[in-house]
Amino acid sequence: MTQLKVASERHLLGTKGMSAEEITSILDRAAYWEQYPVKLANHMQGRFVANMFFENSTRTRFSFEVAEKRLGAEVLNFAAAVSSVQKGESIYDTVKTLESMGIDAGVIRMKPNGLLAELAEKIKVPLINAGDGSNEHPTQALLDLFTMRKHFGHLKGLNVSIIGDIQHSRVARSNLWALQAMGAKVSLCAPPSMQAPELAAHAPYITMEEAIKADVVMMLRVQLERHEESTFKSTEDYREAYGLTVKREATMAPHAIIMHPAPVNRNVEIDDELVECERSKIFTQMGHGVPIRMAVIERALS
């Protein structure tokens, strides 16, 4: 088996096409790492992982770094703002450079859609998608599924509503594919100007009133800055129409939970007092990012 073939089997480019067995194995391994008795392991000692972020990040970047260090790997942090990218170097040449220096895996975030799949065909080391444009964000979806499974004990049959700027959301897409693979029912809710029409064949668009009746109400960051034409004159208008307000939260099912991939626009897509309310899992999700990413890195380097 060629090195390129081996790497392709360990890439994590997206959740689309992943089987329930693959997803379950990652969730199960993350559960192991969450319960691991010692903070630092030496499982990946002597292995080099490069975090290549061509786009800004807080939660994803730092949780990958914590995960890598907990596994005992040597971590290289690349920032586009202080690299030769500023001199015009392409993303491919940057990744190829680090591969040439002997990294064992690369975690990569970038703005362009579709480029990561092209890179993965040419790069011999496994690549992990930390978010590419509006395409996918697989580790976010996996930590979201981990959060839901831990709370409810299962994923099959759960009703999940994803609400907000679906059009620009890589999180919505990765969650849609992963949740459906695991047997959950997904519904989408968005203003007409923020819908992704191509997803309508995979999940229904429903009203806000219907959406908040789900077992899981997943809010997305509203990206008003990315819409040339918006239905809303202000963030307050958006909140009134599509925000999870205290009034709307009161009509949710008693067992339902609130989720959000963050960063959160408080008092826009979700009222401030709901961000850390009893049914909110927002900061719990963030914590689950570390064991999920440990499992994903281990998979890549196995």
Side-chain angles (χ1 to χ4, degrees):
M1 189 181 287
T2 66
Q3 188 177 352
L4 201 61
K5 172 69 173 170
V6 171
S8 70
E9 293 177 351
R10 300 203 308 268
H11 290 315
L12 179 62
L13 306 184
T15 61
K16 193 172 188 178
M18 286 185 78
S19 68
E21 290 73 23
E22 283 180 288
I23 293 170
T24 300
S25 70
I26 293 172
L27 300 183
D28 288 348
R29 191 59 177 168
Y32 165 81
W33 284 118
E34 188 183 37
Q35 299 301 318
Y36 194 70
V38 182
K39 198 162 190 176
L40 293 176
N42 60 0
H43 283 52
M44 299 298 154
Q45 196 167 2
R47 312 296 289 279
F48 286 79
V49 182
N51 295 323
M52 298 173 276
F53 280 71
F54 297 89
E55 193 179 29
N56 293 339
S57 171
T58 300
R59 279 151 293 279
T60 304
R61 179 178 170 180
F62 279 102
S63 65
F64 263 114
E65 185 174 351
V66 171
E68 290 148 8
K69 288 180 175 177
R70 283 198 62 192
L71 286 168
E74 299 291 336
V75 181
L76 306 173
N77 282 317
F78 165 89
V82 290
S83 73
S84 290
V85 170
Q86 298 303 311
K87 301 176 184 177
E89 184 171 64
S90 70
I91 292 177
Y92 169 76
D93 284 342
T94 301
V95 178
K96 191 69 181 174
T97 297
L98 291 170
E99 179 191 50
S100 301
M101 291 177 180
I103 65 168
D104 297 293
V107 176
I108 188 163
R109 169 171 285 196
M110 61 176 72
K111 289 182 180 178
N113 286 339
L115 179 60
L116 185 58
E118 294 176 27
L119 283 178
E121 291 177 2
K122 300 173 183 176
I123 299 297
K124 296 183 178 68
V125 298
L127 298 176
I128 298 168
N129 184 359
D132 64 325
S134 58
N135 179 43
E136 283 231 34
H137 194 351
T139 58
Q140 178 67 48
L142 290 167
L143 72 89
D144 290 342
L145 267 64
F146 186 82
T147 303
M148 294 178 215
R149 191 180 77 162
K150 190 173 174 184
H151 181 80
F152 292 104
H154 62 93
L155 292 166
K156 190 173 183 179
L158 280 182
N159 284 301
V160 181
S161 292
I162 304 177
I163 303 167
D165 192 354
I166 305 291
Q167 182 184 346
H168 293 114
S169 179
R170 53 195 173 206
V171 173
R173 287 168 175 80
S174 286
N175 266 291
L176 172 61
W177 311 132
L179 284 164
Q180 288 186 337
M182 296 301 292
K185 180 184 175 184
V186 182
S187 301
L188 307 174
C189 178
S193 63
M194 296 184 184
Q195 293 181 5
E198 74 278 7
L199 297 181
H202 302 279
Y205 280 94
I206 60 176
T207 66
M208 188 63 181
E209 287 64 36
E210 293 171 309
I212 58 176
K213 301 298 183 185
D215 302 310
V216 179
V217 175
M218 184 182 294
M219 307 305 296
L220 300 174
R221 183 176 77 87
V222 59
Q223 302 179 52
L224 291 173
E225 75 280 0
R226 299 182 70 169
H227 295 268
E228 291 180 10
E229 294 182 16
S230 178
T231 315
F232 307 99
K233 294 177 181 176
S234 67
T235 54
E236 179 56 32
D237 286 346
Y238 181 88
R239 174 184 171 274
E240 285 298 319
Y242 286 93
L244 185 59
T245 61
V246 170
K247 186 177 178 181
R248 286 193 174 106
E249 184 269 339
T251 68
M252 288 172 59
H255 69 274
I257 61 172
I258 297 167
M259 299 181 69
H260 192 306
V264 177
N265 289 315
R266 291 173 183 251
N267 298 316
V268 183
E269 67 265 9
I270 181 170
D271 280 5
D272 180 66
E273 48 265 68
L274 297 180
V275 173
E276 296 180 69
C277 73
E278 191 173 348
R279 66 162 96 231
S280 170
K281 298 294 178 183
I282 296 173
F283 285 95
T284 303
Q285 289 169 257
M286 295 179 201
H288 290 160
V290 173
I292 279 290
R293 288 167 177 132
M294 289 176 77
V296 166
I297 293 157
E298 187 182 38
R299 173 183 179 267
L301 294 175
S302 62

